[in-house]
């Protein structure tokens, strides 16, 4: 029973989210108490499903780029030939944590203009650190006996990396990607301040018009997405950990 309940809860949350995105007017009676008299309840300045898909696409693109760069750097510095670049790599991936996303947006807009590009840059920089550190931890804490056995069978360095090291480290790497995605889901909302099409558009509209229903709608959609994606990654990590 304990295994079924969380699954049912996640399925219910997903069903509620999809229903709200496809037919938000269904939930109008629940949100009506949050607005002033005669004020609109459901956000109608843009399609909620479209905004959600654009929000997810932005997060996916930034996370994919951050994963490629962070994993490549971690692989490089975990090899003897690249060990001396570890301090430099750590400095590079820490840039996103040193500068707040708002500051990155402010610096990026004059260079690339308004829209999605500055948001992608901010999310990319912000997502590097957890992926890099987890990948590095996964690659440097592998069972020495397994690595030595692979070397003893005559595997090349590339073969050991692809067939042994990365598969064994994958649960830890995915944990870093999961953290990066969840952070980016929330951070992407500020992209609407520079004209990016994200769910932050709904929240900002609510703040500007003093419409609490809009703020709740945007916040709940982002929160539900974060929970579902977090659980999805966790499930994959557990399966990979069992297989390895």
């Amino acid at each position: 029973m304990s295994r079924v309940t969380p699954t049912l809860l996640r399925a219910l949350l997903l069903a509620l989210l999809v229903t709200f995105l496809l037919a938000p007017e269904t939930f109008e009676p629940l949100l009506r108490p949050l607005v002033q008299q005669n004020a609109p309840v459901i956000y109608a300045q843009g399609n909620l499903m479209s905004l959600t898909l654009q929000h997810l696409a932005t997060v996916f693109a930034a996370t994919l780029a951050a994963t490629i760069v962070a994993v490549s750097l971690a692989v490089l510095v975990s090899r003897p030939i690249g060990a001396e670049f570890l301090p430099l790599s750590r400095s590079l991936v820490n840039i996103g944590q040193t500068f707040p996303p708002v500051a990155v947006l402010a610096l990026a807009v004059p260079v690339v203009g308004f829209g999605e590009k500055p948001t992608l840059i901010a999310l990319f920089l912000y997502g590097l650190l957890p992926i890099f550190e987890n990948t590095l931890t996964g690659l440097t804490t592998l069972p020495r006996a397994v690595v030595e056995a692979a070397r003893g069978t005559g595997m090349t360095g590339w073969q050991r990396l692809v067939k042994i090291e990365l598969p064994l480290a994958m649960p830890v790497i995915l944990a870093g990607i999961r953290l990066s995605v969840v952070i980016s889901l929330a951070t992407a909302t500020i992209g609407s301040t520079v004209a990016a099409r994200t769910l932050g558009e709904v929240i900002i509209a609510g703040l500007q018009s003093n419409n609490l229903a809009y703020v709740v709608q945007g916040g709940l959609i982002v929160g539900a997405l974060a929970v579902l994606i977090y659980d999805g990654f966790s499930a994959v990590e557990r399966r990979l950990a069992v297989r390895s």
Side-chain angles (χ1 to χ4, degrees):
M1 185 66 178
S2 59
R3 290 186 177 183
V4 175
T5 301
T7 302
L8 288 176
L9 288 175
R10 284 191 288 268
L12 177 61
L13 178 60
L14 177 60
L16 286 172
L17 176 61
V18 173
T19 301
F20 182 76
L21 293 177
L22 293 176
E25 63 278 359
T26 306
F27 297 83
E28 185 171 340
L30 294 175
L31 297 170
R32 172 65 64 183
L34 300 178
V35 301
Q36 300 174 357
Q37 190 174 9
N38 299 323
V41 178
I42 302 300
Y43 183 75
Q45 300 171 29
N47 183 274
L48 289 176
M49 176 62 83
S50 176
L51 285 174
T52 300
L53 293 176
Q54 288 176 302
H55 190 104
L56 289 173
T58 299
V59 170
F60 174 79
T63 303
L64 178 62
T67 299
I68 292 172
V69 173
V71 171
S72 298
L73 280 176
V75 169
L76 173 64
V77 300
S78 65
R79 311 296 100 177
I81 192 173
E84 60 183 297
F85 296 105
L86 177 58
L88 175 60
S89 298
R90 278 217 163 99
S91 297
L92 289 175
V93 300
N94 270 290
I95 290 177
Q97 306 295 323
T98 303
F99 295 96
V102 175
V104 177
L105 288 176
L107 294 172
V109 166
V111 179
V112 298
F114 288 91
E116 188 180 18
K117 290 181 181 179
T119 306
L120 286 171
I121 293 172
L123 296 182
F124 166 75
L125 293 176
Y126 215 57
L128 286 172
L129 182 61
I131 301 174
F132 174 82
E133 290 294 346
N134 275 51
T135 303
L136 185 61
T137 299
L139 291 175
T140 56
T141 57
L142 295 174
R144 188 173 182 83
V146 175
V147 178
E148 291 299 329
R151 184 181 286 110
T153 61
M155 284 188 175
T156 64
W158 176 254
Q159 289 174 326
R160 291 196 303 272
L161 175 66
V162 174
K163 296 182 179 180
I164 304 296
E165 297 179 34
L166 284 177
L168 288 176
M170 193 55 65
V172 182
I173 297 173
L174 279 179
I177 297 174
R178 166 168 50 85
L179 180 58
S180 179
V181 170
V182 172
I183 292 174
S184 293
L185 276 171
T187 307
T189 57
I190 67 171
S192 293
T193 61
V194 293
R197 297 283 290 174
T198 72
L199 289 165
E201 182 179 311
V202 184
I203 298 173
I204 292 172
L207 294 174
Q208 290 177 338
S209 61
N210 196 28
N211 189 321
L212 185 57
Y214 285 2
V215 177
V216 170
Q217 286 168 61
L220 286 180
I221 294 173
V222 173
L225 290 173
V227 170
L228 290 170
I229 291 175
Y230 183 96
D231 281 353
F233 269 100
S234 297
V236 174
E237 290 167 35
R238 287 192 295 270
R239 290 191 178 186
L240 290 176
V242 171
R243 290 181 181 180
S244 60

